[in-house]
Amino acid sequence: MTATAALTSPRKRSGNGAVRRNDADEIGLDALVGHAGYAVRRFQIWIFQDFIRTLGDVDIRPTQYSVLTVVGANPGLSQMAVAKRLGIERARLVHLLDSLEQRRLVKRVKSKADRRSHALHLTAQGATALAKFKRLAAEHERHVEEKIGKENREQLLRILAGFT
Amino acid sequence: MTATAALTSPRKRSGNGAVRRNDADEIGLDALVGHAGYAVRRFQIWIFQDFIRTLGDVDIRPTQYSVLTVVGANPGLSQMAVAKRLGIERARLVHLLDSLEQRRLVKRVKSKADRRSHALHLTAQGATALAKFKRLAAEHERHVEEKIGKENREQLLRILAGFT
DNA sequence: AAAGATTGTTGTTGACGACAACAATTCGCG
DNA sequence: CGCGAATTGTTGTCGTCAACAACAATCTTT
């Protein structure tokens, strides 16, 4: 089960007689191939890069998109509620909202019911912008489908549904 | 397909008559549920937290583990080769190796063949330590299995095999 | 009314990815 | 052969993100 790499193709050699194995595809991952976390991590990096590239023109990153989506679907939520729902630190959400509010996509309304908290709403501008973001995000999702296959993507969503 | 939350359980009310919907399970994610990236991201966070907790006693993080595993399976690799294979910036790998070398788990040997590069090896101490890390990592992997199911984990590894 | 909890905010720390610059060394090509 | 181009390890900066800790303002509990 161990040295997979050492057995196959003839090795390139440099000036002297030393073995060169710099080529990535000859290097075995050993135990790493059995770890879900490694594969998931690599996939997550790929998927975020594609998302960022696909929504590059509108300059929206995955976390910003998730906040806009949730606020759009649940107007009036407090920052605490959004943070809890998305698994974001409330300290971090502060900066995210600062940015989104500066761009006039979201507004913080002082809650009458609980004067500690802010009720979050999309601006009119934010609502139309979000519609565009969703179209681009759907395009990104098609990239994912092309990469891993339609059935695999659906299977993946089913397997991981519990984490949303 | 929209307001899933608004229909069910009776709402808690605060002092006045305002509706409270702070409870996370009442908040809809809207378009987010169809996005693989969101699910993958949440899962990846969960899985890394479990890895870090399970290997907490030995103070090894996922990236460190991946470096040790690859060096252990391919002694003599250059830093560049390891970085490329694992998708790590070579600048970042420098710090990772600094830490691992200080802990006497890895050593950088000046390569005779190419005097620019370092050949990476586990120390004897590093080899026995890695064996322990692998046992703990296998324990972590069982946690994953318990969380999503044996078949689902295998399915996941199959779907994402291309990213390793 | 007093004690305790919650909300938004600010700040710090550390892991991480992306980039840019640099010296030492090797490689490619004329 | 020799010289310019490329590679390797290193240092440094910048921005993202998770995890904490502290704080003032404001509820809630008793």
Side-chain angles (χ1 to χ4, degrees), chain B residues 69-81:
Chain B
T69 300
V70 165
V71 171
N74 309 272
L77 283 187
S78 71
Q79 298 184 193
M80 195 60 212

Side-chain angles (χ1 to χ4, degrees), chain B residues 72-105:
Chain B
N74 309 272
L77 283 187
S78 71
Q79 298 184 193
M80 195 60 212
V82 171
K84 227 186 273 177
R85 180 65 243 243
L86 290 177
I88 301 173
E89 291 270 329
R90 71 186 198 278
R92 167 136 185 71
L93 186 58
V94 171
H95 300 299
L96 284 166
L97 288 173
D98 285 349
S99 155
L100 294 175
E101 206 171 23
Q102 275 181 351
R103 292 170 65 176
R104 311 285 166 192
L105 300 176

Side-chain angles (χ1 to χ4, degrees), chain B residues 22 61 63 89-92 96 114-116:
Chain B
N22 292 351
R61 317 193 96 254
T63 314
E89 291 270 329
R90 71 186 198 278
R92 167 136 185 71
L96 284 166
D114 183 342
R115 284 158 46 220
R116 292 171 301 182

